[in-house]
């Protein structure tokens, strides 16, 4: 089939994304590795777009990582998810927005299971009632937080201070979009643009003025793959998958990798460092790495948020070359300052590929 | 250089526009179940020959379908034709017949 024809078919994969009143659910790893990304998301939604986003201190992780590594059984994860759904309704919300792609995949899988096997849903009801005395209802709308940013991309672009354009040359920045596998590979109808041509990040990049690169390994896994990484002996598989992607995108000279999954963000960022340490090889221009950012970090940059308040110094692959290309005004001296301006010192043992 | 206790593997890229699919085509013409394989590996998991050698029917057919045929003939010799894999294959691939055909092809596809 011709690529154009395929693109047309996938473009029919659209989904409903709620407009307001979001119940926000955190990711377990994202807030640990990139603590500013959730904050940036909430700031964009609340302060820039004026949306009602509720974050419940009682909600928990979806336990997806433990489920995918067979530590948590399916009945347990269903009950944990049902509890989060119960909390959402108790707080008067019905639009569920997980910030993690693994979680989004888990929620989609469980809702689909309940649809096909109502007895599983009934059993989950019984477990939840026995364990917590709670009742739950499914969300009216379940979307990933990147879908929400995608929906409001034009509003964000209208308020943007910067564009994804090289300030010196006026050329659009070349951007690699990497969609988490669990966003739409398992349930293509749950992703904007389906599994092969997801628009959720590409649409964002184009609206912000960048150019999306279509490279051979575009749909390849980031390398996380749960047990490829968690079992140390398997980590060679994980880093090999990432390396394959970097080598495939390298000839296109990307300025930025944008991801919508905390795991992808982490692995595409950290494995560049590890590959430099192992093989002395970097994949960006001038011996640098290719900066890796999440969708709301990119949205935060174009909106003119302070990069260090967004926690962009937590990325191991230095993002300063990108800030310079865009022409972002920032203070390099504030990079390692705490919230009250105190000097935190250089992180011990951290080595940027090229500073 | 830091030794993290694991290393990346060499990158393998298969350009299917240039792959030599002559053997795959020859086999499929003689036993169409060759094309039904989904590379699940059930055959390899149950294979007694594979318990004692590095033989894998899945790997063998997978390689042929990617145009890697240089080792196919010597690999096919490792099968002892017990037929256990036929019993477990979810796609009803006629595995033993395909092994026999690969051995036969060895006479024809001499370099
Ligand atoms: S027929 Fe060959 S491939 Fe199949 S199980 Fe027996 S030895 Fe293994
Ligand atoms: S069991 Fe059948 S489908 Fe699975 S890899 Fe073997 S031949 Fe292919």
């Amino acid at each position: 089939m011709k690529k154009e024809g395929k693109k047309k078919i996938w473009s029919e994969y659209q989904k409903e994304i709620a407009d307001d009143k979001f119940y926000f659910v955190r990711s377990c790893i994202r807030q640990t590795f990139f603590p500013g990304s959730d904050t940036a998301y909430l700031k964009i939604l609340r302060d820039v777009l004026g949306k009602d986003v509720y974050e419940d201190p009682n909600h928990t992780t979806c336990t997806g990582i433990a489920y995918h590594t067979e530590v948590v059984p399916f009945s347990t994860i269903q009950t944990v998810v049902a509890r989060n759904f119960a909390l959402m309704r108790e707080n008067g919300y019905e639009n569920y927005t997980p910030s993690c792609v693994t979680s989004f995949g888990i929620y989609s899988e469980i809702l689909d299971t309940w649809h096909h096997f109502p007895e599983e849903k009934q059993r989950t009801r019984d477990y939840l009632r026995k364990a917590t005395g709670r009742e739950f209802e499914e969300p009216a709308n379940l979307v990933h937080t990147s879908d929400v940013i995608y929906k409001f991309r034009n509003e964000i672009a209208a308020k943007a201070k910067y564009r994804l354009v090289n300030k010196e040359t006026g050329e659009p920045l070349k951007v690699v979009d990497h969609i988490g596998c669990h966003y739409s590979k398992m349930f293509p109808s749950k992703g904007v643009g389906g599994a092969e041509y997801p628009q959720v990040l590409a649409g964002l990049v184009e609206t912000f003025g960048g150019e999306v690169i279509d490279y051979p390994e575009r749909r390849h896994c980031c390398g996380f793959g749960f047990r490829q990484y968690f079992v140390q002996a398997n980590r060679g598989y994980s880093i090999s998958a990432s390396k394959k992607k970097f080598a495939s995108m390298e000839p296109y000279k990307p300025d930025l990798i944008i991801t919508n999954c905390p795991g992808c963000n982490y692995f595409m960022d950290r494995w560049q460092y590890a590959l430099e340490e192992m093989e002395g090889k970097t994949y960006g221009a001038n011996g640098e790495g290719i900066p890796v950012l999440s969708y709301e970090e990119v949205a935060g940059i174009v909106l003119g948020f302070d990069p260090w308040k967004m926690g962009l110094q937590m990325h191991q692959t230095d993002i300063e070359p990108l800030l310079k290309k865009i022409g972002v005004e920032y203070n390099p001296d504030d990079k390692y300052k705490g919230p009250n301006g105190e000097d935190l010192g250089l992180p011990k043992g951290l080595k940027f590929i090229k500073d | 250089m830091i030794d993290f206790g694991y290393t990346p593997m060499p990158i393998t890229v298969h350009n299917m526009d240039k792959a030599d699919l002559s053997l795959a085509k020859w086999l499929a013409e003689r036993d169409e179940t060759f094309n039904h394989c989904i590379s699940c590996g059930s055959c390899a998991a149950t294979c007694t020959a594979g318990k004692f050698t590095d033989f894998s029917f899945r790997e063998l057919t997978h390689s042929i379908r990617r145009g890697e045929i240089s080792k196919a003939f010597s690999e096919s010799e490792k099968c002892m034709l017990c037929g256990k894999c036929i019993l477990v294959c979810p796609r009803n691939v006629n595995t033993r017949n395909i092994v026999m055909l690969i051995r036969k092809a060895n006479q024809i596809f001499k370099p």
Side-chain angles (χ1 to χ4, degrees), chain B residues 25-90:
Chain B
K25 197 164 161 269
W26 189 89
L27 290 168
E29 277 165 8
R30 279 149 189 85
D31 190 333
E32 63 157 13
T33 68
F34 176 78
N35 281 341
H36 298 177
C37 171
I38 51 170
S39 295
C40 68
S42 303
C43 51
T46 199
C47 174
T48 313
K51 273 267 178 282
F52 303 108
T53 70
D54 59 359
F55 176 58
S56 156
F57 181 79
R58 181 199 65 81
E59 195 179 329
L60 173 63
T61 51
H62 197 61
S63 305
I64 293 171
R65 288 192 292 181
R66 294 199 301 202
E68 293 174 338
I69 56 173
S70 58
K71 287 198 295 178
F73 304 124
S74 57
E75 280 301 299
S76 71
E77 294 300 331
K78 294 178 183 169
C79 170
M80 51 191 195
L81 303 174
C82 68
K84 276 206 296 187
C85 47
I86 300 176
L87 301 176
V88 297
C89 175

Side-chain angles (χ1 to χ4, degrees), chain A residues 237 240 244 271 277-279, chain B residues 1-2 4 6 8-9 12:
Chain A
Y237 293 120
S240 303
K244 194 169 189 165
W271 275 155
E277 290 285 16
M278 285 174 167
E279 304 188 326
Chain B
M1 300 279 158
I2 299 178
F4 290 98
Y6 47 89
M9 294 176 278
T12 50

